[in-house]
């Protein structure tokens, strides 16, 4: 692992430590760097702000689930993998998803997921989603994130596989048909 990558992970661990006692919106860069034992300059060489740090860490976890989905498995399998990662890092992500800042993890998650599905459709068909499919994808992705946050903040009362199943069952019919035709639904 490169030195800058190592520093980023150390800063993420420091952020996780701060999240145990302080809400994300109230955590300061000063707190993060003090816990990590680095300077503010080091922080800002690696991240724009604390939300950029959270989003970077989330990306690292999501990348694993997206790679899993890209290996020819299904949307369901990819969702299960994502929710297992979120469950492993429950304290971090529960705190991060509580923030409603414009750079929040909810918005970042939405952008990543919508882009992932759009790119997957493009890879399988050679075409970008049409306006109706884009609308349905946006609605579905936003709803999925809402339910994911509700699951995380509500104590994850059922396993990741059940949440994934519910999200697949809640998919708009046109997306179900498209994903079935592309052999990526379940």
């Amino acid at each position: 692992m490169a030195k800058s990558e190592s520093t980023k992970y150390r800063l993420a661990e420091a952020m996780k430590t701060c999240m145990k006692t302080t809400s994300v919106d109230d955590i300061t860069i000063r707190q993060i760097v003090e816990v990590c034992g680095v300077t503010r300059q080091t922080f800002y060489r690696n991240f724009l702000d604390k939300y950029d740090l959270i989003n970077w860490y989330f990306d690292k976890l999501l990348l694993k689930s997206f790679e899993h989905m890209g290996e020819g498995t299904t949307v369901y399998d990819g969702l299960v993998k994502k929710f297992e990662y979120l469950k492993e890092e429950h304290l971090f992500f529960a705190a991060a998803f509580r923030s409603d800042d414009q750079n929040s993890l909810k918005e970042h998650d939405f952008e990543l997921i919508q882009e992932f599905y759009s790119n997957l459709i493009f890879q399988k068909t050679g075409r970008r989603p049409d306006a109706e499919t884009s609308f349905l994808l946006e609605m579905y992705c936003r709803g999925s994130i809402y339910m994911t946050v509700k699951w995380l903040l509500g104590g994850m009362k059922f396993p990741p596989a059940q949440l994934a199943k519910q999200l697949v069952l809640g998919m708009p019919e046109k997306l179900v048909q498209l994903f079935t035709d592309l052999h990526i639904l379940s």
Side-chain angles (χ1 to χ4, degrees), residues 28-47:
T28 65
I29 301 304
R30 182 179 188 178
Q31 285 175 279
I32 298 167
V33 298
E34 284 176 2
V35 169
C36 189
V38 298
T39 64
R40 289 174 64 87
Q41 290 170 317
T42 298
F43 180 91
Y44 286 114
R45 269 196 302 272
N46 289 280
F47 299 107

Side-chain angles (χ1 to χ4, degrees), residues 122-135:
F122 179 74
Q123 289 170 5
K124 297 280 188 175
T125 66
R127 295 182 318 273
R128 291 277 167 210
D130 62 28
E132 182 182 2
T133 302
S134 292
F135 175 84

Side-chain angles (χ1 to χ4, degrees), residues 105-152:
L105 186 56
K106 290 177 219 169
E107 191 59 28
H108 185 68
D109 191 13
F110 163 73
E111 290 167 4
L112 286 175
I113 291 170
Q114 186 174 26
E115 180 181 338
F116 176 77
Y117 284 131
S118 295
N119 288 340
L120 192 58
I121 291 167
F122 179 74
Q123 289 170 5
K124 297 280 188 175
T125 66
R127 295 182 318 273
R128 291 277 167 210
D130 62 28
E132 182 182 2
T133 302
S134 292
F135 175 84
L136 292 173
L137 268 176
E138 180 176 353
M139 182 181 71
Y140 176 69
C141 292
R142 289 209 183 271
S144 295
I145 292 161
Y146 176 84
M147 296 311 293
T148 300
V149 171
K150 186 175 178 180
W151 174 73
L152 259 173

Side-chain angles (χ1 to χ4, degrees), residues 35-79:
V35 169
C36 189
V38 298
T39 64
R40 289 174 64 87
Q41 290 170 317
T42 298
F43 180 91
Y44 286 114
R45 269 196 302 272
N46 289 280
F47 299 107
L48 299 173
D49 57 25
K50 62 188 171 187
Y51 301 104
D52 189 34
L53 165 59
I54 291 168
N55 292 343
W56 173 84
Y57 191 67
F58 185 71
D59 288 353
K60 290 296 182 183
L61 295 180
L62 266 192
L63 189 61
K64 292 178 186 176
S65 67
F66 286 170
E67 286 172 0
H68 184 71
M69 286 176 82
E71 292 169 354
T73 60
T74 65
V75 169
Y76 168 80
D77 292 334
L79 288 171

Side-chain angles (χ1 to χ4, degrees), residues 94-110:
F97 273 121
R98 279 189 183 95
S99 176
D100 286 322
D101 187 271
Q102 70 179 27
N103 296 326
S104 74
L105 186 56
K106 290 177 219 169
E107 191 59 28
H108 185 68
D109 191 13
F110 163 73

